[in-house]
């Protein structure tokens, strides 16, 4: 298996280096990431349930797709690549915002990311990759908000 690297950044998203992904998560270092939110014509959000083999949050429901750009890859290129690899489709994506967050997990790893948020629309067939995704569902935002309040342990 190829070693994956993340791009280390400062709080202004300026690149300051790179590090093996696992090590960056062990040390909780700030790195570049992205999150994709895809909606359908009914304004429902596509959620994925993370595969049970994922290194954190296995089996939990999350946004359509998220990951890290490779060295030399733009956020947009990475988002299209991972959307195709994880969910089996691609669509136009628009960057909406970015933010920094830090979350520690029970397994000792920490996500500390400068996260770029991209939004798209899609109404076709979903052919997800079972090594990345256990399941998927479309949900309207009102239902999602209620379920998050009642069952937040099921979500990232």
């Amino acid at each position: 298996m190829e070693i994956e690297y993340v791009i280390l950044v400062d709080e202004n998203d300026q690149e300051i280096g790179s590090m093996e992904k696992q090590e960056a998560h062990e040390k909780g270092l700030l790195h570049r990431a992205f999150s994709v939110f895809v909606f359908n014509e009914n304004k429902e959000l596509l959620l994925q349930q993370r595969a049970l083999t994922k290194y954190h949050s296995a089996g939990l429901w999350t946004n359509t797709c998220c990951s890290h750009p490779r060295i030399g890859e733009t956020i947009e290129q990475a988002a299209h690549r991972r959307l195709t690899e994880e969910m089996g489709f691609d669509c136009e994506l628009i960057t909406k915002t970015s933010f920094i967050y830090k979350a520690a997990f029970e397994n000792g790893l920490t996500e500390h990311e400068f996260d770029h948020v991209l939004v798209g629309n899609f109404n076709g067939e979903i052919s997800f990759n079972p090594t990345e995704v256990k399941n998927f569902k479309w949900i309207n935002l009102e239902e999602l908000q209620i379920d998050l309040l009642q069952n937040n342990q099921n979500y990232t």
Side-chain angles (χ1 to χ4, degrees):
M1 181 175 218
E2 185 179 330
I3 295 175
E4 291 185 57
Y5 291 85
V6 294
I7 300 167
L8 302 176
V9 295
D10 64 18
E11 292 182 355
N12 296 310
D13 196 31
Q14 297 301 307
E15 189 173 334
I16 58 173
S18 63
M19 182 176 285
E20 190 274 323
K21 181 171 113 175
Q22 182 75 17
E23 183 181 0
H25 288 103
E26 288 169 358
K27 294 179 176 179
L29 298 179
L30 184 61
H31 56 280
R32 191 172 288 151
F34 62 87
S35 296
V36 176
F37 294 80
V38 173
F39 294 86
N40 65 16
E41 62 193 5
N42 299 319
K43 299 185 179 169
E44 296 169 314
L45 175 61
L46 177 60
L47 298 182
Q48 69 157 274
Q49 185 178 25
R50 291 170 59 86
L52 297 178
T53 55
K54 299 299 274 185
Y55 68 97
H56 72 75
S57 306
L60 296 183
W61 290 96
T62 193
N63 56 292
T64 309
C65 168
C66 55
S67 191
H68 310 92
R70 293 177 175 156
I71 297 167
E73 186 177 46
T74 67
I75 292 293
E76 292 77 13
Q77 290 168 333
H80 288 287
R81 173 179 54 81
R82 288 303 292 165
L83 186 57
T84 302
E85 291 172 356
E86 290 185 21
M87 300 306 293
F89 72 88
D90 196 11
C91 63
E92 183 179 344
L93 298 171
I94 298 169
T95 301
K96 290 292 188 175
T97 190
S98 60
F99 63 96
I100 294 174
Y101 81 98
K102 190 172 189 177
F105 299 101
E106 292 179 7
N107 64 2
L109 299 178
T110 300
E111 284 283 19
H112 189 192
E113 297 185 334
F114 193 108
D115 195 45
H116 297 261
V117 177
L118 298 97
V119 175
N121 293 289
F122 182 75
N123 294 297
E125 292 286 318
I126 309 292
S127 180
F128 66 85
N129 178 347
T131 63
E132 297 285 341
V133 178
K134 181 179 178 189
N135 204 351
F136 73 92
K137 65 181 174 183
W138 293 99
I139 189 168
N140 74 49
L141 295 181
E142 293 80 18
E143 289 176 30
L144 177 58
Q145 187 173 23
I146 291 167
D147 202 36
L148 282 167
L149 291 172
Q150 295 175 349
N151 301 297
N152 69 333
Q153 72 280 0
N154 295 335
Y155 294 88
T156 61

